[in-house]
């Protein structure tokens, strides 16, 4: 089964803003009243109680200090500014220069909040780390060095900059060095270049192992050997039997649509169909098939870094709790008003083309 590895993101809700109106031709400024649940970034203590951290537990006090012992994991210092959008997500992707034992999670704090979160990926707490069927790009069961730190922001935020500090810990409870990250928070529609690909798109084609473009919706056909015993069709497992070759299954994607709204919301509609041989209904003269279809609709948020051309998607069905929660990033290689060529940042073995609907 072919499935696009567009894989972990940011997006937005409604932002507070100031407006100006004239009074009898005068020029007085009048601010709109704040929403009841408006959060000022200057109040980091309150902000820490309002955010939600995927797989994380809120804990008062400072995060644990670096272990400073041999074998402790080492994180790469990151001088980049992380962009986030009010009401959606901060997504931080830690990277390692060294680790010896299995990575189990992270600590993260909003600097100045007086509290921290312990992220434990092995204790799901109602979440799934990634979507079913999406392989671990490192192929290491139980290791989480490829995981992102994802913080869900409250919808109404005043202020535009904050910083976070994070560290990794391993199965021996060794704590890595602390890394500081700067976060710039934008209001909805605040960055014009984010809007270039707003709209509905269809996954159109992908490259094969040789780099040649192929139809994404071309079905896969599987063949098997069958035999007829006592007028009943069976799979041929005995080389001494009289066998014949037949189609055992035909499977393929029937729909793969993606929608990006100007409110930084994301949705994907995916459908596939599989026809398999039904031995009990088949005869020695004719194989009979049954067809099953699968349709999934996922929702979340998106953010785009115009400089790096990286699109990040967080899938949470618009709510962290009890959702199939994961994130992924893709890089834009080419873009026109009608077509986008992308590659998954965790699996660059093939490219995918999207076309505007």
């Amino acid at each position: 089964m072919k499935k696009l590895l567009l894989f972990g993101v940011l997006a937005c809700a409604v932002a507070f803003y100031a407006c100006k109106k004239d009074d009898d031709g005068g020029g007085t400024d009048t601010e709109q009243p704040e929403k009841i649940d408006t959060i000022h970034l200057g109040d980091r203590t309150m902000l820490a109680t309002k955010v939600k951290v995927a797989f994380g537990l809120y804990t008062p006090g400072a995060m644990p200090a670096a272990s400073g012992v041999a074998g402790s994991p080492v994180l790469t210092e990151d001088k980049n500014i992380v962009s986030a959008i009010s009401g959606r997500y901060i997504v931080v992707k830690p990277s390692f220069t060294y680790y010896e034992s299995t990575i189990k999670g992270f600590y993260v704090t909003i600097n100045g909040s007086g509290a921290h979160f312990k992220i434990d990926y092995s204790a799901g707490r109602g979440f799934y780390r990634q979507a079913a069927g999406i392989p671990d790009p490192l192929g290491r069961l139980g290791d989480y060095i490829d995981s992102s730190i994802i913080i869900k922001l409250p919808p109404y935020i005043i202020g535009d900059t904050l910083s976070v500090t994070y560290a990794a810990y391993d199965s021996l409870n060794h704590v890595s060095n602390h890394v500081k990250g700067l976060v710039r928070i934008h209001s909805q529609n605040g960055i014009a270049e984010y809007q270039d690909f707003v709209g509905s798109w269809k996954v159109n084609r992908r490259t094969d192992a040789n780099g040649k473009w192929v139809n994404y919706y071309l079905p896969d056909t599987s063949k098997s050997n069958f035999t007829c015993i006592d007028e009943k069709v069976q799979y041929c497992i005995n080389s001494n039997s009289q066998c014949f070759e037949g189609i055992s299954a035909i499977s393929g994607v029937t729909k793969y649509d993606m929608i990006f709204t100007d409110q930084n919301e994301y949705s994907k509609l995916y459908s596939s169909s599989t026809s398999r041989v039904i031995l009990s209904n088949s005869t020695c003269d004719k194989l009979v098939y049954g067809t099953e279809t699968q349709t999934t609709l996922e929702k979340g948020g998106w953010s785009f870094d115009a400089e790096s051309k990286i699109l990040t998607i967080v899938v949470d069905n618009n709510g962290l709790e009890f959702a199939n929660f994961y994130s992924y990033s893709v890089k834009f290689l080419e873009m026109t008003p009608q077509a986008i060529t992308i590659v998954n940042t965790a699996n660059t073995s093939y490219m995918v083309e999207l076309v505007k609907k």
Side-chain angles (χ1 to χ4, degrees):
M1 176 85 53
K2 295 173 294 189
K3 184 171 181 181
L4 177 64
L5 293 175
L6 301 174
F7 231 49
V9 175
L10 320 164
C12 76
V14 181
F16 172 82
Y17 63 96
C19 68
K20 183 182 291 185
K21 68 176 183 178
D22 294 333
D23 183 14
D24 296 331
T28 59
D29 292 344
T30 303
E31 291 187 348
Q32 288 187 336
E34 294 182 4
K35 303 287 186 181
I36 294 176
D37 52 354
T38 295
I39 300 297
H40 292 256
L41 289 187
D43 189 349
R44 307 297 166 85
T45 301
M46 178 61 70
L47 178 63
T49 66
K50 297 298 184 181
V51 301
K52 298 175 182 178
V53 178
F55 308 93
L57 287 179
Y58 175 91
T59 305
M63 54 190 276
S67 298
V69 298
S72 297
V74 179
L75 286 171
T76 304
E77 296 291 335
D78 190 354
K79 302 300 183 182
N80 295 325
I81 297 178
V82 177
S83 290
I85 299 176
S86 177
R88 300 302 295 193
Y89 312 95
I90 300 171
V91 179
V92 179
K93 294 183 176 296
S95 60
F96 291 79
T97 58
Y98 173 83
Y99 66 96
E100 185 173 289
S101 185
T102 301
I103 301 300
K104 288 299 183 183
F106 297 92
Y107 295 101
V108 63
T109 182
I110 296 174
N111 294 327
S113 67
H116 70 278
F117 294 83
K118 181 180 182 180
I119 301 171
D120 182 1
Y121 293 113
S122 62
R125 302 194 184 97
F127 304 117
Y128 294 93
R129 176 171 165 266
Q130 60 183 18
I134 298 174
D136 180 348
L138 298 177
R140 297 182 52 156
L141 183 63
D143 208 13
Y144 299 101
I145 69 167
D146 61 327
S147 296
S148 301
I149 298 172
I150 303 179
I151 303 171
K152 175 71 180 292
L153 294 168
Y156 308 113
I157 295 178
I158 294 179
D160 59 8
T161 306
L162 59 82
S163 64
V164 298
T165 297
Y166 56 92
Y169 66 91
D170 62 16
S171 57
L172 301 177
N173 287 322
H174 293 156
V175 180
S176 75
N177 57 311
H178 290 194
V179 174
K180 182 178 179 179
L182 297 178
V183 180
R184 176 67 184 271
I185 298 178
H186 306 277
S187 61
Q188 69 175 37
N189 300 330
I191 307 178
E193 57 264 34
Y194 278 29
Q195 310 307 312
D196 291 344
F197 51 92
V198 167
S200 298
W201 298 83
K202 173 187 176 182
V203 176
N204 185 43
R205 57 180 183 165
R206 55 165 288 179
T207 55
D208 61 15
N210 298 317
K212 180 181 178 181
W213 286 105
V214 296
N215 184 349
Y216 192 83
Y217 301 91
L218 188 67
D220 288 327
T221 300
S222 300
K223 294 184 177 181
S224 298
N225 289 324
F226 300 90
T227 187
C228 199
I229 300 176
D230 297 331
E231 300 301 320
K232 293 183 179 179
V233 178
Q234 301 178 19
Y235 283 104
C236 187
I237 58 176
N238 189 338
S239 59
N240 294 325
S241 300
Q242 188 174 1
C243 303
F244 63 93
E245 187 180 62
I247 295 175
S248 58
I250 301 174
S251 60
V253 177
T254 56
K255 180 182 285 290
Y256 205 139
D257 293 344
M258 307 175 74
I259 299 175
F260 303 94
T261 76
D262 59 4
Q263 301 299 306
N264 292 88
E265 295 175 340
Y266 157 82
S267 61
K268 181 190 80 175
L269 179 61
Y270 175 89
S271 296
S272 62
S273 174
T274 302
S275 297
R276 293 186 176 90
V277 66
I278 303 176
L279 295 179
S280 59
N281 294 347
S282 299
T283 67
C284 298
D285 298 322
K286 182 179 180 180
L287 297 178
V288 176
Y289 299 86
T291 301
E292 62 180 2
T293 59
Q294 179 185 15
T295 299
T296 59
L297 174 64
E298 64 180 26
K299 295 182 178 181
W302 64 270
S303 179
F304 182 65
D305 186 316
E307 182 175 353
S308 66
K309 305 300 182 184
I310 297 292
L311 170 72
T312 304
I313 293 173
V314 172
V315 178
D316 69 344
N317 292 324
N318 287 334
L320 285 178
E321 286 78 15
F322 311 112
N324 291 331
F325 186 92
Y326 65 94
S327 69
Y328 60 93
S329 297
V330 298
K331 183 177 180 64
F332 282 32
L333 302 179
E334 294 183 20
M335 181 174 180
T336 71
Q338 298 300 320
I340 303 173
T341 302
I342 60 178
V343 64
N344 185 271
T345 57
N347 183 352
T348 59
S349 59
Y350 64 88
M351 297 181 295
V352 175
E353 180 187 69
L354 311 180
V355 296
K356 200 70 170 284
K357 294 189 67 176

